Amino acid sequence: MRTAVVTAAIAAILIAVIFMGLGDPTGPNAFIIIGISQGAIYGLVGIGLVLVYKGARVFNFAQGEYGSMAAFIVYLFVEQWKTGLPYWVAALIAIVCVIILGLIMERIVVRPLMNAPRVTLLVATIAFALTLIGIQLLLFLPEAKSFPPIVQQLPGGGNGIEIFNFIIEPQRLLILAVLAALAGGLGYFFSRTDLGLAVLATSQDAFATRVVGIGVERMSRFIWGSAAFLGAVAGILYVPISGALTPGVMTSTILIPSFTGAVIGGMTSLPGAFVGGVVVGVIQALSNWAAGNQGVAETLFGGRLIQDILPGSPDVVLMLVLLLVLMIRPQGLLGKEA
Amino acid sequence: MGTATEAITAPIPATHDRWHPSTAGWVARLTVLVLIFGGVLWVTAIVPQYWADRISLAVIYCIIGLSLNVVLGYVGQVSLGHHAFVGIAAFVAAFYVTEQAGCTAELGCPFDHFLAGIGLGVLSGGVAALLLGLVALRIRGLYLALITLTYGFMAERSIFEIPSLTRGGAGMPAPRPDGILGLNFTSDRGFAFLTFVFLALVLFVDWRLLRSKVGRAILSIKHSEPVAASYGINVTAYKLLAFILSGMFAGLAGGLMAFRATTVVSNDFNFSIALLWVLMVVVGGLGNRTGVVVISAFFALFPFLPELWTAADRFVVDTLERSMSLVTIVFGALLALLTIIQFPGGFAEQVSPITRWLRGQKFSMHPEGEGGHSKGHDKSKSDKGGGLLAKLGLHRGEHDEPAEEADEPEGKN
């Protein structure tokens, strides 16, 4: 119920802002559309973060690197080795490899630390992420590589949908579709299926769960495997449109906004991760717009552009938003005290 | 910590059977210490200049390690944004000596300007930590880690890109200081010795502070915040204090880094290096000065080690070095994983028989039963309740308290 209300409220605010900006070519409308499509990626990574948090009560800093690894595997098959495999086959291979990677991580890193303090496990996920980044650096050197998206044209032809002078690439539409499907599926999974409930139970009280006959290790494997799956999907979908494939790309560009989005959403709520991700995307895009907008500059700073005074304002705003949410409403917009 | 808990768990000092090394034993220990510290200084004095430059980097890493150790080891919170403190201080120090004091590489830089630059670096590191700590320290554990990470990214993308502070990609110059007292600090070797002085200073401050009321309060917070609060310890204030101290150490390291490189470039302070710093403290042994210093130096020098046995030409060495710094990331991260999962005490615990022996105890693999310091430090206990706390990873309660001799710099591994 609250999910619907909050989502509707945010949608209403967005529509109202877009409506007010209609007819103003320097207005923020195009930026809002960019923000929503970028926010969808944050949501996709955020769902993986929330899944792990629900299941294991830890922030998984390796979530971004599942994506980078998957993207690099696809790159290997499609571009570097020129195997001639269809793109989707390479993507499937990459997803399977990354799921295995997630299971390996579960076995060698998470399992031994199951009863350790969460901060210890957090540092371990950081170490694991850094290992993956380092392996990518060694194998591919710190160079940017380009590689093509899965879909370059809409089914009926055309390079995308144009809204307010911003062309939404087909890949972004695909991301939105995948995200909606995943969010719905996971929501159903956690509220309606036995396995989903068992996962939730494990995260709340591992001992009691074991007493009623649920294999805690099996649940843990399941959680980290699915997190790796989600991360791999996000990486394969996003990296082609991000511009370049570099080692650690998902960690350095996507992970922090995704975390912020998930925290805004409440860290335990799957729809919350999606809503929060979109909110973060729009906030970033709007601060980008304000930073480079002459009108805003004249109103506030006597004609000096904000981006000349303080570069990187989206990151400053992002940090302030994160702090504000944690201070005022630590359970987030849609979080439950669970 | 003079708490009731400790009074109960502490082994009752049985003075009659407390073991003392013989005179010969003391001489042996002293000789080893002199050999270690003298050896480090001697190596610094004889190696080629470019190795002296690397040693100064190692010493700066030691200071960074000690800085993170305050947050991570003493307070038990994770800071993933330390490159922000280090970087801000480096830019502030460079900005001061270049823009305010008017130093250039040709004209040189008077030593007092250098000191002022370092001081401003320390101050800015402290202020940056204060500003972050004031808002962030209400938030604990995982969320604090997230905020520090965001803070680091914010600094990287925003503060380090301000053109007037950082001069864009070209970097802000920070010429090394003129010598005083007949010493030459513009050479790499002279500067390395200068960094040793600062490391000794940091070790001294860290050691004295940990022995004071403040230190005991901070350590008690790590063990249990509710218990500390119930003893009347202002938890937030002491956490903030520790945070500021850590920021100041980081600021000192940043200032030294600026003068070591002589040009500060924002690329030097990135997110993966901040993660590597965290991991090196974990590998060194949380809360253990000796372990952190040794392993920090090791991490700093690791990329250069292959050179020791490949006397190849310069080009090969350069290529090797570049890939070695990438190897450092993998190696360091794997080492940290291994430490967290298998050896929660880190390097410090592995060498603890040696450090205990140096402090005047028997050479023993088992800390328990070998209670008592023989040098009048009987009030402080080095190994607190190893059993349960040892299992708790980051919240372990081991704080080795090296004696005075152990507080000398140990820049070279």
Side-chain angles (χ1 to χ4, degrees):
Chain A
M1 184 59 209
R2 203 170 79 221
T3 308
V5 171
V6 172
T7 316
I10 289 171
I13 294 172
L14 280 178
I15 290 170
V17 173
I18 290 177
F19 191 73
M20 282 192 302
L22 281 181
D24 177 7
T26 60
N29 276 359
F31 282 86
I32 292 180
I33 300 301
I34 297 173
I36 294 174
S37 76
Q38 187 72 9
I41 319 275
Y42 300 155
L44 194 52
V45 177
I47 286 179
L49 295 170
V50 166
L51 181 70
V52 168
Y53 190 78
K54 272 170 110 89
R57 296 283 137 186
V58 71
F59 290 172
N60 180 15
F61 277 84
Q63 186 69 32
E65 274 330 286
Y66 298 145
S68 305
M69 286 305 275
F72 268 111
I73 294 172
V74 174
Y75 175 84
L76 269 185
F77 278 104
V78 174
E79 294 282 313
Q80 190 150 335
W81 294 340
K82 303 267 185 222
T83 48
L85 280 179
Y87 198 103
W88 64 272
V89 175
L92 270 184
I93 295 174
I95 290 176
V96 170
C97 290
V98 172
I99 291 177
I100 293 171
L101 183 76
L103 293 177
I104 293 174
M105 177 181 174
E106 196 275 333
R107 185 63 193 85
I108 64 168
V109 178
V110 179
R111 188 90 60 84
L113 297 173
M114 220 172 216
N115 298 319
R118 298 293 92 176
V119 178
T120 310
L121 187 49
L122 178 97
V123 176
T125 67
I126 293 172
F128 193 79
L130 207 55
T131 314
L132 295 184
I133 295 179
I135 289 172
Q136 292 162 23
L137 280 169
L138 277 178
L139 294 182
F140 299 97
L141 300 177
E143 294 159 1
K145 300 175 166 59
S146 67
F147 92 104
I150 297 178
V151 278
Q152 273 155 329
Q153 290 211 316
L154 288 179
N159 289 327
I161 302 173
E162 188 181 327
I163 308 175
F164 305 119
N165 301 326
F166 175 68
I167 296 166
I168 303 184
E169 302 111 314
Q171 182 98 357
R172 287 193 189 265
L173 296 175
L174 181 66
I175 289 172
L176 275 174
V178 168
L179 182 64
L182 282 176
L186 285 171
Y188 175 81
F189 172 76
F190 273 115
S191 56
R192 295 283 185 276
T193 63
D194 286 348
L195 185 58
L197 291 174
V199 169
L200 281 189
T202 315
S203 76
Q204 282 170 6
D205 191 334
F207 181 73
T209 314
R210 200 188 290 270
V211 166
V212 297
I214 295 169
V216 175
E217 284 81 8
R218 197 165 71 92
M219 293 303 125
S220 174
R221 265 201 302 278
F222 176 79
I223 290 164
W224 291 86
S226 1
F229 165 72
L230 290 172
V233 169
I236 292 172
L237 288 178
Y238 172 68
V239 173
I241 51 170
S242 75
L245 175 63
T246 50
V249 52
M250 294 294 278
T251 301
S252 58
T253 55
I254 299 296
L255 190 66
I256 292 185
S258 303
F259 263 127
T260 314
V263 170
I264 291 177
M267 215 56 224
T268 51
S269 155
L270 289 164
F274 178 42
V275 173
V278 170
V279 168
V280 166
V282 171
I283 288 175
Q284 275 192 324
L286 280 180
S287 50
N288 250 332
W289 166 76
N293 186 279
Q294 200 62 43
V296 174
E298 263 153 32
T299 332
L300 292 177
F301 298 100
R304 281 186 70 195
L305 290 179
I306 300 177
Q307 64 190 15
D308 295 339
I309 304 170
L310 185 71
S313 54
D315 293 285
V316 181
V317 173
L318 201 61
M319 191 185 98
L320 295 180
V321 168
L322 179 64
L323 277 176
L324 260 177
V325 170
L326 286 178
M327 309 281 267
I328 297 170
R329 201 181 157 80
Q331 73 272 39
L333 289 175
L334 298 173
K336 300 189 198 80
E337 297 287 347
Chain B
M1 289 169 296
T3 60
T5 333
E6 197 194 67
I8 294 165
T9 53
I12 299 156
T15 36
H16 56 272
D17 61 0
R18 192 202 280 171
W19 185 84
H20 281 286
S22 63
T23 318
W26 277 124
V27 171
R29 286 168 174 80
L30 206 64
T31 319
V32 170
L33 280 173
V34 168
L35 280 179
I36 291 174
F37 297 118
V40 170
L41 294 177
W42 177 72
V43 165
T44 314
I46 59 148
V47 290
Q49 290 283 352
Y50 66 94
W51 264 100
D53 183 48
R54 290 160 185 182
I55 289 177
S56 63
L57 179 72
V59 177
I60 292 168
Y61 264 53
C62 295
I63 299 178
I64 293 173
L66 288 167
S67 153
L68 262 168
N69 184 34
V70 174
V71 175
L72 209 59
Y74 298 161
V75 191
Q77 305 283 354
V78 182
S79 166
L80 303 175
H82 249 61
H83 61 306
F85 304 142
V86 177
I88 288 170
F91 279 118
V92 166
F95 181 81
Y96 173 77
V97 293
T98 303
E99 298 276 328
Q100 304 294 314
C103 300
T104 60
E106 294 80 38
L107 289 175
C109 191
F111 195 72
D112 49 341
H113 281 320
F114 162 77
L115 279 186
I118 293 280
L120 281 174
V122 173
L123 196 69
S124 59
V127 170
L130 171 73
L131 289 180
L132 179 61
L134 271 182
V135 278
L137 283 181
R138 295 151 201 271
I139 299 149
R140 293 172 45 195
L142 303 180
Y143 286 95
L144 180 67
L146 185 54
I147 289 180
T148 53
L149 181 66
T150 321
Y151 184 74
F153 256 92
M154 187 274 291
E156 212 177 298
R157 300 264 172 84
S158 181
I159 299 175
F160 296 169
E161 299 293 327
I162 300 174
S164 56
L165 179 65
T166 63
R167 291 201 181 164
M172 180 66 91
R176 285 188 189 162
D178 302 336
I180 46 158
L181 308 170
L183 300 166
N184 172 15
F185 294 136
T186 46
S187 74
D188 289 333
R189 199 188 312 284
F191 192 75
F193 282 116
L194 191 61
T195 54
F196 275 121
V197 175
F198 282 105
L199 176 61
L201 186 74
V202 167
L203 281 166
F204 180 77
V205 170
D206 193 58
W207 167 59
R208 285 321 305 168
L209 198 89
L210 211 63
R211 290 280 179 92
S212 69
K213 181 187 159 198
V214 176
R216 290 192 298 272
I218 289 174
L219 291 183
S220 73
I221 289 170
K222 186 173 100 168
H223 285 283
S224 165
E225 283 187 25
V227 170
S230 72
Y231 276 96
I233 293 167
N234 188 340
V235 172
T236 311
Y238 278 111
K239 269 205 274 192
L240 186 59
L241 194 69
F243 220 66
I244 296 171
L245 184 76
S246 174
M248 287 166 75
F249 286 173
L252 175 63
L256 289 173
M257 234 176 196
F259 291 107
R260 174 187 166 266
T262 64
T263 307
V264 193
V265 192
S266 56
N267 273 352
D268 293 348
F269 310 103
N270 58 42
F271 147 78
S272 51
I273 206 152
L275 295 190
L276 203 63
W277 289 340
V278 170
L279 299 184
M280 86 190 172
V281 175
V282 172
V283 174
L286 293 169
N288 187 302
R289 241 171 267 129
T290 319
V292 167
V293 165
V294 172
I295 292 298
S296 302
F298 175 70
F299 268 53
L301 294 178
F302 184 77
F304 311 116
L305 293 183
E307 254 181 67
L308 291 179
W309 56 85
T310 52
D313 64 307
R314 197 68 218 161
F315 174 74
V316 176
V317 168
D318 277 349
T319 333
L320 196 68
E321 225 165 72
R322 209 185 61 168
S323 57
M324 275 311 283
S325 58
L326 305 179
V327 173
T328 313
I329 294 182
V330 180
F331 178 76
L334 287 177
L335 208 57
L337 276 180
L338 190 69
T339 306
I340 294 172
I341 296 163
Q342 285 295 325
F343 308 101
F347 176 77
E349 197 156 288
Q350 304 308 309
V351 297
S352 60
I354 303 171
T355 45
R356 266 198 300 276
W357 179 80
L358 284 172
R359 263 184 275 124
Q361 297 170 27
K362 273 184 182 163
F363 190 91
S364 150
M365 294 309 209
H366 308 288
E368 265 87 13
E370 287 291 334
H373 290 244
S374 38
K375 289 158 91 190
H377 294 315
D378 48 343
K379 268 185 193 161
S380 75
K381 241 164 54 67
S382 59
D383 303 299
K384 301 183 188 71
L388 177 66
L389 288 165
K391 289 187 188 137
L392 295 181
L394 279 173
H395 292 259
R396 295 171 63 260
E398 177 164 321
H399 303 281
D400 266 12
E401 299 263 353
E404 284 93 325
E405 293 90 339
D407 282 352
E408 288 293 312
E410 223 178 278
K412 174 105 174 21
N413 187 346

